[in-house]
Amino acid sequence: MPKDTLRITEIFYSLQGEGKTVGLPTTFIRLTGCPLRCGYCDTEYAFYGGETRSIDEIVQQVKELGAHYINVTGGEPLAQKRVHELMKTLCDAGYHVSLETSGALDVSGVDPRVIKVLDVKTPASGEMAKNRHENYDCLTKQDQVKYVICDRDDFQWSKQHLQEYALSDKCEVLFSPVQGELKASDLANWVLTDKLPVRFQIQLHKYLWGDEPGK
């Protein structure tokens, strides 16, 4: 690919379904490709295909969609090195930019203005071995760590993991149930019973639109 292009699965305007800006109108830039294969993945359509787009073309479409909040996601966006230039360009243009990443790839080069959301892989994901613990040293107070939890064993592991790495001292920690596998009320009760310093969340977009692409 030319040096100023990326492989894009979709760019769309919707409501942010998770994290600090949940419910806010947001433009999502979904990059193609991912080196992980999590058992609960809901964006397998982003593993392959996509369309080659220049950074200028991407930024122009973002401008036309009109949202102040931009979410760079995938797939695994850091699998494409030119994503760093895209995020810098968006920050320079005054957008509020967040990055959804598996945490399996190095985040040290991410522009400090970008809010990093690290999706820690639990045992039930099947990709726990891919967690890059060095990334935790790159977290700041603006960032977030997310645990997507499938069952009680995942919860116990997540609780121990966040305590071992003192992640709630570094940034905000999110606990989410895998829709269709774990009742949201069960996870909420476990968080309350154990008095964990985390934000419980459900994926708003799934309750509104399910797994529909572009939503």
Side-chain angles (χ1 to χ4, degrees):
M1 291 193 299
K3 66 178 182 178
D4 64 341
T5 61
L6 296 114
R7 200 78 179 165
I8 301 295
T9 293
E10 57 187 350
I11 300 175
F12 61 96
Y13 176 75
S14 186
L15 297 179
Q16 176 58 263
E18 304 176 78
K20 294 180 179 179
T21 59
V22 62
L24 290 175
T26 300
T27 293
F28 294 83
I29 304 172
R30 189 180 304 283
L31 276 66
T32 306
C34 183
L36 284 75
R37 293 295 181 267
C38 300
Y40 50 69
C41 182
D42 56 4
T43 53
E44 293 181 5
Y45 63 91
F47 288 171
Y48 309 104
E51 178 182 311
T52 301
R53 306 281 298 277
S54 73
I55 290 176
D56 286 345
E57 289 172 335
I58 296 168
V59 173
Q60 179 59 35
Q61 185 171 352
V62 165
K63 181 178 179 181
E64 291 169 359
L65 289 172
H68 173 63
Y69 294 93
I70 312 297
N71 182 255
V72 179
T73 185
E76 170 49 72
L78 292 182
Q80 298 189 49
K81 293 182 179 180
R82 297 179 188 98
V83 72
H84 292 284
E85 182 181 349
L86 171 63
M87 293 188 292
K88 180 181 183 303
T89 301
L90 291 168
C91 288
D92 288 346
Y95 293 105
H96 180 283
V97 182
S98 61
L99 167 71
E100 292 272 352
T101 175
S102 64
L105 301 180
D106 184 9
V107 302
S108 63
V110 174
D111 190 296
R113 295 170 291 180
V114 174
I115 295 172
K116 300 182 290 295
V117 183
L118 263 62
D119 189 347
V120 174
K121 300 308 174 185
T122 63
S125 74
E127 294 285 22
M128 181 180 66
K130 301 284 182 62
N131 288 325
R132 183 183 172 90
H133 300 146
E134 298 92 332
N135 280 336
Y136 306 151
D137 293 331
C138 300
L139 294 170
T140 68
K141 289 296 184 181
Q142 73 172 359
D143 299 325
Q144 296 179 308
V145 169
K146 178 173 65 174
Y147 294 84
V148 179
I149 297 171
C150 296
D151 51 33
R152 180 70 182 184
D153 288 341
D154 257 12
F155 172 77
Q156 290 297 126
W157 181 90
S158 299
K159 181 175 70 171
Q160 293 169 5
H161 187 268
L162 82 89
Q163 291 170 347
E164 178 182 355
Y165 292 97
L167 294 180
S168 58
D169 293 335
K170 298 177 184 294
C171 65
E172 186 172 56
V173 178
L174 311 172
F175 271 31
S176 299
V178 175
Q179 190 175 33
E181 293 193 33
L182 175 61
K183 287 177 60 177
S185 59
D186 285 346
L187 178 57
N189 284 328
W190 298 341
V191 167
L192 290 171
T193 298
D194 289 1
K195 296 181 169 58
L196 298 185
V198 305
R199 179 193 292 267
F200 168 83
Q201 66 168 13
I202 55 176
Q203 294 175 299
L204 175 64
H205 53 289
K206 289 193 175 184
Y207 282 85
L208 293 174
W209 299 294
D211 290 333
E212 181 181 346
K215 292 291 187 179

